[in-house]
Amino acid sequence: MILGIECTAHTFGVGIVKKGKVLANIRDMYTTEKGGIIPVESAKHHRAVADSIYQQALDKANVKEKDIDAIALSNAPGLAPCLLSGLEFAKKKAKELGVPIVPVNHCIAHLEIGRSVGAKDPVLLYASGANTQIIAYAAGKYRVFGETLDVGIGNFIDKFARYVGLGFPGGPKIEQLAKNGKYLELPYSIKGMDVSFSGMQTKVQQLFDKGIKVEDLSYSIQETAFAMLVEAAERAMAHTGKKELVMGGGVGCNARFQEMCRIMCEERGAKFFCPSREFLVDNAGMIAYTGELMFNAGIKENPEKVDIKPRERTDDVSVTWR
Ligand code: AMP
Ligand code: MG
């Protein structure tokens, strides 16, 4: 039985997994009325909710602390203050329970949870707030085949939403507004398998200032930004010869984005896997799930030796558990 902790950014969560089955996946998110995430404030949030989320997860899974074999911790990558708050909590619990810690890379966990919905060797389209990457397994590592050259797609959408006065997180509101919008051409920026959003960011702000409707801008942002990512994902699938696509990250909750992925996969005879919303957003179920795969392969550390790795990249990790 593995207890996982998620703490990399705005979400603190505790998940419990046994034999690949997620028994609990409890989370609480730091939100703001104005502005984005303030890392130290988010870390304060994590410390404030940790004990209660932990207890709720044990209750939900109906398990006892003594049944836990290891604590999986998302120690990388992320905002240092947030990672530290999680590390502190994981160390405290690991010592109390006398169990090791399994350090889990958050981005890899988004990919691994795709296995729980049936993918075997997929390309991951990871579209979240801060991260936007196209990842797949090749020669011992999860490699980044394409990524954003500037901001993550979620941050880009959220920044636009804030600019037009919608608050954070803006993604779900933009999705609703897009339903009544029409298409305007926006800068479509893809270089090889990499994408960038800053040109589109400037353009949509200018168009908003000129009085273009938020509905039209929302619709056009979705059509343009998602098409860029679907194109890059398709190219990665063609390059690696993989026949499965998995969605990951909070932006993956968007129904239009999912539809575009599904159409692309159908057209090339591939399969599209989309975890449910609770496993798309930042969550500890995926950390526990990945932690169990790693633990079963013998990966575990003395809690004293574990540290945070705010800038660890997906391809820094040797994948020895496959
Ligand atoms: P994550 O960082 O993976 O937890 O995802 C958070 C990001 O997902 C934020 O930028 C949200 O605005 C974005 N998001 C959540 N739901 C949607 C949606 N329905 N459409 C677009 N973006 C979304
Ligand atoms: Mg994430």
Side-chain angles (χ1 to χ4, degrees):
M1 179 111 51
I2 307 293
L3 182 135
I5 296 171
E6 163 57 34
C7 60
T8 56
H10 44 61
T11 295
F12 185 86
V14 174
I16 299 176
V17 166
K18 188 176 183 178
K19 294 195 178 137
K21 208 168 164 301
V22 182
L23 305 177
N25 188 22
I26 311 288
R27 57 194 290 276
D28 194 77
M29 188 177 162
Y30 159 84
T31 54
T32 61
E33 295 285 320
K34 267 203 287 190
I37 303 176
I38 302 164
V40 291
E41 293 299 321
S42 183
K44 270 189 211 159
H45 159 269
H46 294 359
R47 288 196 178 89
V49 302
D51 281 315
S52 147
I53 299 288
Y54 177 80
Q55 194 53 51
Q56 286 177 52
L58 289 173
D59 293 346
K60 176 79 206 295
N62 199 15
V63 298
K64 304 226 160 29
E65 280 187 309
K66 68 169 173 48
D67 299 325
I68 295 164
D69 297 300
I71 302 226
L73 170 71
S74 60
N75 73 323
L79 302 169
C82 303
L83 293 167
L84 278 174
S85 71
L87 179 70
E88 222 170 71
F89 188 73
K91 278 188 174 172
K92 188 177 94 183
K93 289 296 170 192
K95 280 185 209 155
E96 276 173 25
L97 306 178
V99 298
I101 291 181
V102 182
V104 174
N105 177 292
H106 174 96
C107 307
I108 289 178
H110 274 290
L111 192 146
E112 292 293 5
I113 196 68
R115 291 203 205 178
S116 75
V117 287
K120 292 191 178 63
D121 183 20
V123 166
L124 170 71
L125 177 46
Y126 177 31
S128 79
N131 300 299
T132 298
Q133 295 184 325
I134 290 145
I135 302 170
Y137 181 81
K141 287 187 169 178
Y142 286 118
R143 306 203 183 254
V144 178
F145 284 87
E147 64 189 316
T148 176
L149 299 173
D150 41 49
V151 292
I153 180 161
N155 286 1
F156 155 61
I157 293 174
D158 292 339
K159 192 170 168 193
F160 171 72
R162 277 206 301 279
Y163 193 78
V164 303
L166 293 172
F168 168 82
K173 292 171 191 153
I174 295 295
E175 178 170 19
Q176 290 313 313
L177 290 165
K179 288 184 177 149
N180 299 311
K182 64 175 191 328
Y183 180 74
L184 301 160
E185 195 169 329
L186 296 176
Y188 184 96
S189 178
I190 176 160
K191 293 159 194 165
M193 287 190 237
D194 294 329
V195 296
S196 84
F197 298 109
S198 53
M200 203 185 328
Q201 189 101 62
T202 307
K203 185 76 187 176
V204 290
Q205 292 183 359
Q206 285 169 350
L207 290 173
F208 176 75
D209 291 344
K210 280 191 192 146
I212 302 290
K213 286 198 330 203
V214 177
E215 286 84 351
D216 294 346
L217 293 170
S218 300
Y219 179 76
S220 307
I221 283 172
Q222 290 198 169
E223 294 305 302
T224 311
F226 297 161
M228 280 159 47
L229 290 177
V230 172
E231 180 186 334
E234 178 168 26
R235 206 170 283 151
M237 291 169 83
H239 177 72
T240 57
K242 296 193 196 284
K243 298 223 167 312
E244 298 173 332
L245 180 69
V246 164
M247 185 74 104
V251 182
C253 297
N254 189 291
R256 173 62 180 143
F257 194 15
Q258 292 177 11
E259 182 188 26
M260 286 167 120
C261 290
R262 198 167 294 120
I263 293 169
M264 181 271 278
C265 285
E266 270 167 26
E267 284 180 353
R268 56 182 295 109
K271 277 192 191 155
F272 177 55
F273 296 89
C274 191
S276 61
R277 186 185 154 74
E278 70 167 316
F279 295 111
L280 280 173
V281 297
D282 284 356
N283 70 91
M286 68 178 188
I287 304 298
Y289 185 89
T290 307
E292 188 183 44
L293 295 172
M294 295 170 71
F295 182 78
N296 288 342
I299 303 169
K300 52 182 176 224
E301 284 182 27
N302 177 340
E304 283 306 329
K305 298 240 165 78
V306 181
D307 203 354
I308 61 165
K309 296 181 178 170
R311 292 181 178 277
E312 180 176 76
R313 283 182 56 92
T314 308
D315 46 14
D316 288 335
V317 180
S318 287
V319 180
T320 55
W321 60 89
R322 277 175 65 107

